[in-house]
Amino acid sequence: MAELSGLIEQAAGLLRGARAAVALTGAGISTASGIPDFRSPHDGLWVPADPMQVASQLTFRYAPERFFEWVRPLAALIQRARPNAGHQALAELEADGRLTTVITQNIDELHGRAGSQKVLEIHGSLATATCVMCQSTWPGHLSLQRFVEDGQPPRCPACGSLLKPNVTLMGEQVPAGVMQAARSAVRLCDVLLVLGSSLEVMPAAALPVEALNHGARMILVNFEPTYLDARAAVLMHADVNAVLPRIAAAVRNETNAHT
Ligand code: ZN
């Protein structure tokens, strides 16, 4: 544990000296809020449905009822979920001026609910939905709540066609605008926190390389090894929700001690 304390202090030191720090978060930050890593083959909750197949653009087009059947328990979990200490620590770092942006692969909106202001949701969220026919966009929560209750897929109030939640499905491109904003954030940062992401899903997995190639130093906290472990300035194979509040507290304590 002494070793972990040293790493937390190192991470806090990097953040204190940062000109612009950015966080990239993955499923690992939300598991403590009860949201499973639905892309992980190790998580049995979604078996027998294969998310790679069910949460795909093709399935949505040809068998939307299968997609909605799969997304229903996930939508219910997201509605009930509360931000945890990890989400809160990032919101605090931002409020203290220690973090400019959170880029997240998660669709659960928990960063926003924790109070983070600048959040780039590169896989979208369930907050809005778009009609497959007339392309109009609608608030997603109300229709989703009805859907969670009665299982009726959400329909467009204008034309009655299916509403597709604005989340990026397998086989779909990540929206260009949000991806561009994420790229420019990582290029401009000098410290990148990678938190609870195994860096296996593109294009998010490539963002840290852009940061590193532009001279940023990387703090990487994830249970499992990633392909970029060797390039981390501070590497912790640890629970992000246990470590992150300690990093935020260390940044804050040191700040207080000097003011
Ligand atoms: Zn419509």
Side-chain angles (χ1 to χ4, degrees):
M1 269 346 244
E3 196 195 348
L4 190 60
S5 300
L7 293 170
I8 286 167
E9 205 34 66
Q10 275 182 42
L14 280 182
L15 284 170
R16 281 194 292 270
R19 179 180 38 76
V22 166
L24 169 66
T25 69
I29 199 167
S30 289
T31 45
S33 290
I35 314 255
D37 179 0
F38 66 87
R39 284 186 167 87
S40 163
H42 314 296
D43 200 314
L45 192 70
W46 308 106
V47 173
D50 173 7
M52 288 296 185
Q53 195 195 338
V54 177
S56 75
Q57 195 183 14
L58 271 181
T59 300
F60 192 86
R61 190 173 299 166
Y62 296 109
E65 68 288 347
R66 281 194 63 209
F67 167 80
F68 279 108
E69 206 175 289
W70 172 80
V71 85
R72 190 177 175 193
L74 182 61
L77 281 176
I78 288 174
Q79 277 190 335
R80 283 200 304 269
R82 296 284 170 271
N84 62 53
H87 299 106
Q88 276 150 9
L90 287 179
E92 280 165 27
L93 284 169
E94 184 186 4
D96 290 348
R98 297 291 181 182
L99 189 74
T100 64
T101 309
V102 175
I103 303 166
T104 187
Q105 300 174 268
N106 301 334
I107 60 167
D108 53 36
E109 299 164 61
L110 292 178
H111 288 299
R113 286 188 217 164
S116 286
Q117 302 291 312
K118 180 85 188 290
V119 182
L120 298 172
E121 295 169 314
I122 55 180
H123 293 147
S125 78
L126 300 171
T128 57
T130 298
C131 175
V132 296
M133 197 58 74
C134 73
Q135 305 293 321
S136 57
T137 294
W138 302 88
H141 288 140
L142 200 66
S143 57
L144 210 65
Q145 190 171 344
R146 277 200 298 270
F147 164 61
V148 165
E149 282 161 13
D150 65 18
Q152 290 300 309
R155 300 226 163 241
C156 173
C159 77
S161 300
L162 275 179
L163 286 177
K164 179 188 166 292
N166 285 337
V167 294
T168 304
L169 303 179
M170 310 296 166
E172 268 184 327
Q173 292 286 326
V174 168
V178 70
M179 205 51 217
Q180 216 161 28
R183 282 213 182 89
S184 96
V186 296
R187 280 184 199 140
L188 291 171
C189 79
D190 57 348
V191 173
L192 179 71
L193 290 140
V194 175
L195 305 166
S197 174
S198 299
L199 300 177
E200 284 168 346
V201 180
M202 291 298 279
L207 287 171
V209 176
E210 294 209 32
L212 292 164
N213 289 349
H214 284 77
R217 284 185 290 176
M218 179 168 65
I219 301 164
L220 204 163
V221 188
N222 195 53
F223 259 129
E224 309 285 329
T226 77
Y227 83 107
L228 286 177
D229 279 10
R231 297 188 68 184
V234 182
L235 174 67
M236 288 176 256
H237 287 157
D239 180 356
V240 65
N241 298 98
V243 164
L244 195 50
R246 291 177 64 188
I247 295 175
V251 171
R252 189 168 262 185
N253 286 341
E254 188 64 22
T255 308
N256 292 340
H258 286 274
T259 50

